[in-house]
Amino acid sequence: MKNVTIWHNPRCSKSRNALTLLEEKGIEAEVVKYLDTPPTKEELKTLLLQLGMSARELMRTKEDIYKELGLKEVEDEEKLIEAMVANPKLIERPVIIKEGKAVIGRPIENVVELLEL
């Protein structure tokens, strides 16, 4: 059953934990290594709708690149999305998508809740 997708960063412990949880529940998720294959602008817009959040809420604001690009001062949603497309390291992780709904897997309880829907 591949009705679950995880935007995964293998170097991130939270991302690995979420993937392990899916495997333990017998869910064969589609694994998207978003750092290797960055999402398109359209994919990010769809994801933001599924998450019900703004671009900034999906961003890792403590990353050096966030500060280097001066994104704290940027209000334009399109520009923030473009920054994430160009620098996928800015995208919070992991993201789990199931049947048109999505959560950020921090804390892991978010993933558990999504899977129970």
Side-chain angles (χ1 to χ4, degrees):
M1 148 168 90
K2 281 209 179 186
N3 64 342
V4 175
T5 301
I6 179 171
W7 288 23
H8 179 58
N9 177 351
R11 297 183 65 195
C12 169
S13 64
K14 301 287 185 198
S15 196
R16 289 192 308 269
N17 290 346
L19 188 57
T20 299
L21 174 70
L22 294 173
E23 290 167 353
E24 286 172 353
K25 293 196 170 284
I27 297 169
E28 187 183 322
E30 177 185 355
V31 178
V32 176
K33 293 181 181 175
Y34 67 94
L35 293 177
D36 298 336
T37 315
T40 64
K41 211 165 141 176
E42 292 72 31
E43 288 171 325
L44 265 178
K45 286 181 177 183
T46 298
L47 179 65
L48 290 169
L49 288 172
Q50 292 170 324
L51 287 165
M53 62 177 48
S54 70
R56 186 166 325 273
E57 291 174 294
L58 181 59
M59 296 183 100
R60 297 176 58 82
T61 58
K62 291 184 172 72
E63 288 291 336
D64 289 341
I65 191 77
Y66 182 86
K67 294 172 186 89
E68 289 167 18
L69 294 174
L71 295 173
K72 185 176 182 181
E73 312 306 318
V74 175
E75 295 296 325
D76 184 338
E77 192 83 353
E78 286 290 317
K79 294 216 181 304
L80 293 174
I81 291 169
E82 288 167 9
M84 285 189 280
V85 170
N87 304 280
K89 191 175 184 180
L90 287 168
I91 301 170
E92 187 58 82
R93 62 187 182 254
V95 176
I96 295 79
I97 306 161
K98 176 188 171 201
E99 298 169 2
K101 292 182 176 53
V103 296
I104 295 174
R106 292 168 178 257
I108 194 79
E109 287 76 21
N110 292 348
V111 180
V112 172
E113 266 182 47
L114 178 68
L115 296 176
E116 289 174 353
L117 292 178

